[in-house]
Amino acid sequence: MTNEDVAQELEDIADLLEIADANVFRVRSFRRAVDSIAELPEDVAVLLAESRLTDVPGIGKSIARIVEELVNTGTSEEKEALLAQYPESLLEMLRISGFGPRKAAVVFRELGISTVDELEEAAAAGRLQDLPGMGAKTEDNIINSIDAYREGQQRALLGEMLPVAEDLVARLREHPDVIRAEFAGSTRRHRETVGDLDLLASSADPAGVCKWFAGLEILEELTMAGDTKVSGRLAGGRQVDLRVVAEASFGAALQYFTGSQQHNIRLRERAQRMALTVNEYGVFKADKEEKGDMVAGTAEEDVYAALDLPWIPPELREDRGEITAAEADELPELIELSDIRCDLHMHSQYSDGRATVEELARACMELGYAYIGIADHSQTLTVANGMDADRVRAQHEEIAKLNEKLKQEGTKFRVLQGIEADILSDGSVDVPEGTFELFDYVIGALHQGFSPDADKITARMVAAVKSGMIDIVAHPTGRVLLARQPYGLHIDQLIAACAEHDVALEINASPQRLDLDDTHARFAVQQGCRLSINTDAHGPESLTHMRYGVMQARRGWVEADNVINTWSLRKLRSWFKKRRS
Ligand code: DGT
Ligand code: CA
Ligand code: CA
């Protein structure tokens, strides 16, 4: 058993205990053990063999005994006893966002519901709303979350798959018989979620490369092992396809397997009109005399050039007008990560962040930014340790001191003070009394008091935009990918208000959010809105999520000028000032 397996078993026990309404301290001690084991650098089996397991913080004698049982027998009496009372399928229900052990216990006890299907049926039939602690709104939430859960089983976040794709491509490139390697499909188009991973390599010995790839440990299961194609599954079930082609076809194959399918259909139609054929091997002449003559194939650029088009960035290949734009030489000059000069939304220890202001600043200097803005939560968001006026003032002083220190060090890097202020249910903005003047800027955000009424939510946000109090609207639709649907909102009305009052809309770069999404970002820019791409980092390690925000912006045809994070500090400051006067 790996540490992960052990942690999973303990987590199951904790969940089942909670469903069984066991002592809260007992449940908590299991959860603490789950965290410790998940973070252990050493193998539990080794610690066990050397009798060092109880040295691990969070693991007492009784849990150590269960771990020993797990490692030796693959199961534990504790779990078996619980499973004699509660069906195992209850554990799957807990993977539905917002549906925890307490709710599971209630639906099981009152209605005998033990599977996701049964839960969905009961919610749709309105049979849950009279249960203790639930209502009509809970039913809607459960139905939405089940949809997202089902989708999550089909697709993975780009933030999860892109690093895997990059790792596999790097390994392919190291193979002596691989000439070129890239990832293709939705991953290359930087779609926010990915179905399966498509890899491509060129080689003079495809069979040899395939054989080597099929033997990689990362493939937990092989579904196909041919001489030019390998398919397998990663831990968690996600599919990976590798195709190995001849070097002369690499560009054509890359174009073909990058898709999207709709984009490729449009290209093929165009080719037909030009008496050409495009497939994964190349571009060929289609008229009678020269039929089969290869026109292009080695480089992707050549494939587009053969069709009399400039190369089209993969993010645009969604059949959303990119071929017409390319034809007219009107493709956008897409924003790039290197255009970003600052990150304006991150959390320090002043609210719910893990790092100090200075640690965040130093980490951003490393990333090559010119300046940053800290935007901690405001006081009404107590669950996130929101700042009251005193803490705002303390932070203000700390930032001033830090800026002085940076100046002494001879760097031009500066830290701005912003705040992520809650937009309250009446549309007012939660900036602590008497502190508005201290902030360089204010980000407005919705975190609580969601109403199922789209008109109400829209009115609330539009009121905040009109108030002149906020400069940026954070994660405008509130969605969490594969987990939570956006709150009902008339996004077009919000966009119109932001355009009118010159308030920027955020593209939240967290791979779980990517909110605004691509099509909304594009629409917002068309309506004359400015955008702001920010990580919303709660620790230095997530500051690099900026790239996912930029990828989403590129899918939305966004250029550098549309994004306030590409501006110099001077330009941004004067924009903030102008907005306030
Ligand atoms: P995904 O995996 O659902 O996130 O989306 P993609 O775009 O990666 O789609 P996938 O993996 O089914 O196929 C990879 C590419 O292969 C796709 O974007 C376009 C290309 N392709 C070309 N012709 C076809 C076709 O007839 N069917 C499919 N499914 N793909 C095709
Ligand atoms: Ca794919
Ligand atoms: Ca595929």
Side-chain angles (χ1 to χ4, degrees), residues 295-370:
V295 181
T298 315
E300 196 180 47
E301 285 84 349
D302 300 345
V303 173
Y304 284 97
L307 300 171
D308 215 4
L309 292 171
W311 181 81
I312 299 175
E315 292 95 333
L316 300 184
R317 301 182 195 171
E318 298 289 351
D319 188 23
R320 294 176 182 162
E322 69 278 8
I323 295 178
T324 316
E327 204 171 30
D329 207 15
E330 280 168 3
L331 285 173
E333 248 185 75
L334 298 180
I335 184 171
E336 290 177 19
L337 184 57
S338 58
D339 292 322
I340 299 289
R341 295 205 218 182
C342 70
D343 187 343
L344 295 170
H345 184 173
M346 64 185 79
H347 297 267
S348 75
Q349 288 172 359
Y350 276 90
S351 66
D352 60 347
R354 288 179 293 277
T356 65
V357 170
E358 179 158 359
E359 282 162 355
L360 290 167
R362 302 270 173 210
C364 287
M365 287 171 85
E366 290 278 308
L367 293 176
Y369 295 155

Side-chain angles (χ1 to χ4, degrees), residues 467-479:
S467 73
M469 293 271 291
I470 64 174
D471 305 282
I472 300 169
V473 180
H475 39 71
T477 78
R479 72 167 180 177

